[in-house]
Amino acid sequence: CSPPRRKIMAVIPRGRPDSSLGHRRPVLLLLLFFCLLAFFPRRVAAFHSFVGTYGVNYGRIADNLPPPTEVVKLLQMARIKNVRIFDSDHTVLDAFRNSGLNLAIAIPNGLVKDISATPSKAMDWVNENEILGGQDTGLAEALFGAVVNIHDALRAMRLSGRIEVNTPHSEAVFGTSYPPSAGTFRPDLMPYLKPLLDFFSKTGAPFYVNAYPFLAYMSDPEHIDVNYALMKPNAGILDQKTNLHYDNMFEAQIDATYAALEAAGYSDMEVRVSETGWASAGDATEPGATLENARTYNFNLRKRLFLRKGTPYRPKRVVKAFIFALFNEDLKTGPGSERHFGLFKPDGSVSLDLGFKGLTSSSSSIKGWKILRYSATLLSSTFIFLALST
């Protein structure tokens, strides 16, 4: 299933250099359901839902991708340890088993209402997969019940202490986002958001949000400095309320989320990014979708994440993000950019040169992949990350 960001739209303050939460189309309200399971040795008493600061979304809407076993090898060579997929295909689950990688598994939105209404459905799904907003208001209403039932199923299996249950969100949940300190959630969505936020607060889970400077820039290229979106040198913006300076849109998006959480009464909740990326090509009507811009954004973002630092408003909260996406996906519909978010080409070679080690186009081939060497160190535990997606 396709990642939900294509359906996202948020308020764009005209004439502002920030315009940090911008998307082109109407959206679903609450798009994803996340839960995380760690298979730990018995002696381990705690788990981490995200290792390091960098992850990647592994979409598979294509007819030319390598088998999952080879994808695992590529991820290990690139030392990318956190991975999200958009279905629960067991060939993928089997390939990732005991790999030391953290895996995010998507569940179709169509299952949400059943899981919400019938606790046994949650238990069935948990057992089967060994995890062991929009126009559909019924789905939004059912989401909290689904979260609770999945959590209860895990608790019944004595796994709730090792599992993080969460619901990443599109920027459509925001009423305002500029300046960052003015970030707020839409009042009409709070009846759905508040029980979820209460649940996250009780379990210590973070708040996940999709953040796309690329889509914000495309929505208003006349008023948004592309260098600000790309994390290149620029004048930036000053938030008059906090007197904080922002030199890139990515951090402004995150701090707008922190401000919204604070305004809603959840100032201690961590924010993580479930999707971000930049297209390397697109239609003539998609400004900024170029190979150079994609490389620049992804390179600067990766460098920034590896610094393990916070944002201007939350300097002690290390930023963590899933990048979109692992591969270009040739069967996606919609604008041309949809098919050009990949870090890698289907043959295993690098699409965007970000300094990943262990890949070459001229050494030994494994099932069509060009691999120089395998030197990844496996983690001591494996995670599975489950998600509700369209």
Side-chain angles (χ1 to χ4, degrees):
C1 37
S2 179
R5 58 190 172 75
R6 311 304 177 260
K7 303 172 184 175
I8 298 168
M9 178 176 65
V11 176
I12 303 293
R14 298 293 298 180
R16 302 285 192 178
D18 182 43
S19 300
S20 59
L21 301 178
H23 293 274
R24 298 169 297 179
R25 304 176 193 164
V27 289
L28 295 176
L29 303 179
L30 302 172
L31 299 167
L32 298 177
F33 171 83
F34 274 60
C35 78
L36 180 71
L37 169 67
F39 291 103
F40 276 91
R42 290 185 182 273
R43 66 180 182 276
V44 179
F47 75 95
H48 300 283
S49 61
F50 199 110
V51 176
T53 59
Y54 190 88
V56 67
N57 289 271
Y58 166 27
R60 299 189 301 121
I61 305 177
D63 60 3
N64 57 357
L65 299 183
T69 52
E70 302 305 319
V71 173
V72 168
K73 292 176 183 178
L74 173 63
L75 291 164
Q76 290 170 329
M77 282 189 300
R79 300 188 180 183
I80 297 174
K81 299 174 181 178
N82 306 288
V83 187
R84 250 178 89 201
I85 62 174
F86 296 93
D87 58 46
S88 55
D89 186 323
H90 279 225
T91 61
V92 178
L93 302 188
D94 289 343
F96 276 81
R97 192 183 314 280
N98 299 321
S99 67
L101 302 173
N102 299 344
L103 182 62
I105 311 167
I107 308 170
N109 275 349
L111 295 180
V112 179
K113 293 180 181 179
D114 282 347
I115 290 174
S116 178
T118 312
S120 63
K121 296 286 187 181
M123 182 64 77
D124 290 344
W125 197 93
V126 168
N127 279 320
E128 179 181 350
N129 291 285
E130 300 181 10
I131 60 169
L132 333 179
Q135 304 304 312
D136 188 350
T137 56
L139 179 61
E141 292 169 352
L143 186 55
F144 177 66
V147 168
V148 171
N149 284 343
I150 288 288
H151 185 266
D152 287 349
L154 294 167
R155 184 172 57 185
M157 298 179 72
R158 299 182 180 181
L159 294 170
S160 59
R162 305 179 185 181
I163 297 175
E164 176 186 285
V165 181
N166 213 306
T167 57
H169 309 83
S170 80
E171 289 91 335
V173 300
F174 297 97
T176 58
S177 61
Y178 183 88
S181 62
T184 57
F185 294 120
R186 284 169 45 188
D188 60 311
L189 297 186
M190 285 308 296
Y192 309 119
L193 280 171
K194 190 169 191 320
L196 289 169
L197 292 171
D198 286 342
F199 179 86
F200 303 155
S201 181
K202 180 180 178 180
T203 61
F207 184 90
Y208 279 88
V209 65
N210 293 349
Y212 279 95
F214 167 68
L215 295 178
Y217 172 73
M218 281 207 309
S219 71
D220 195 5
E222 293 183 5
H223 297 99
I224 298 176
D225 183 351
V226 69
N227 292 326
Y228 180 66
L230 292 170
M231 301 188 188
K232 294 178 67 175
N234 68 95
I237 63 110
L238 178 69
D239 189 319
Q240 297 289 344
K241 179 180 177 180
T242 60
N243 202 35
L244 294 173
H245 181 266
Y246 292 86
D247 60 12
N248 69 83
M249 188 185 297
F250 179 73
E251 291 185 353
Q253 290 178 324
I254 294 173
D255 276 356
T257 308
Y258 274 122
L261 287 170
E262 186 174 291
Y266 303 91
S267 59
D268 293 333
M269 192 170 293
E270 179 186 357
V271 173
R272 294 182 190 168
V273 177
S274 43
E275 287 186 31
T276 187
W278 197 287
S280 60
D283 299 334
T285 56
E286 296 184 290
T290 68
L291 182 61
E292 180 58 29
N293 283 348
R295 183 196 175 280
T296 297
Y297 179 78
N298 281 282
F299 179 84
N300 288 340
L301 177 64
R302 184 168 180 252
K303 181 172 66 174
R304 187 250 177 267
L305 291 174
F306 283 6
L307 292 176
R308 297 175 182 265
K309 69 174 186 176
T311 60
Y313 197 52
R314 290 287 190 271
K316 295 183 179 180
R317 286 281 195 181
V318 175
V319 176
K320 302 177 180 181
F322 284 96
I323 312 306
F324 194 88
L326 186 60
F327 295 110
N328 290 330
E329 299 173 71
D330 66 339
L331 296 184
K332 281 193 169 181
T333 59
S337 60
E338 295 288 339
R339 297 174 286 282
H340 295 93
F341 275 87
L343 301 180
F344 295 94
K345 297 177 182 178
D347 66 358
S349 62
V350 172
S351 176
L352 300 175
D353 183 7
L354 306 182
F356 287 114
K357 304 298 182 182
L359 299 177
T360 182
S361 60
S362 59
S363 63
S364 62
S365 174
I366 300 179
K367 294 185 180 180
W369 284 46
K370 307 300 184 178
I371 300 176
L372 176 61
R373 61 186 176 87
Y374 171 65
S375 60
T377 301
L378 297 183
L379 303 179
S380 60
S381 59
T382 300
F383 298 86
I384 299 178
F385 205 10
L386 301 167
L388 245 171
S389 181
T390 51

